[in-house]
Amino acid sequence: DDEHQAAIEHFYQQKNYQQAISVHLQIIQMQPDDSQAHYRLGVLYMLTRNFLLAKNEFQKTLQLNPDHKQAQEHLEQLKNY
């Protein structure tokens, strides 16, 4: 929703990735089939060097949306993790 989106943008701008991760986890708890939330969470995990968690989120993204090109590309980057 708009409130979550505003918080996410604020945390990205501030590079407060842990807070952004928390918001994404809340969104996923409410909307577990939101492929974009899983994708963004994967990106945040990459930014915080949590590569295994990132890989899991990109895999989940592709389960929900097999044509998600960016998730495929990130997963390829993480194939050694």
Side-chain angles (χ1 to χ4, degrees), residues 10-25:
H10 172 75
F11 294 138
Y12 268 111
Q13 289 171 354
Q14 301 297 314
K15 293 189 174 20
N16 190 339
Y17 300 132
Q18 291 303 325
Q19 286 294 102
I21 287 170
S22 294
V23 172
H24 279 84
L25 290 171

Side-chain angles (χ1 to χ4, degrees), residues 2-3 7 10 19 23 47 54 58 63 65-67 80:
D2 290 340
E3 183 179 324
H10 172 75
Q19 286 294 102
V23 172
L47 290 170
F58 295 135
Q63 286 174 5
N65 179 1
D67 297 325
N80 294 324

Side-chain angles (χ1 to χ4, degrees), residues 24-40:
H24 279 84
L25 290 171
Q26 290 173 18
I27 292 169
I28 289 170
Q29 191 170 29
M30 292 183 296
Q31 300 170 337
D33 294 337
D34 184 340
S35 64
Q36 270 308 108
H38 284 283
Y39 171 73
R40 290 189 309 261

Side-chain angles (χ1 to χ4, degrees), residues 37-47 50 53-54 57-58:
H38 284 283
Y39 171 73
R40 290 189 309 261
L41 182 56
V43 171
L44 286 163
Y45 282 142
M46 283 185 74
L47 290 170
N50 290 304
L53 292 174
E57 291 305 319
F58 295 135

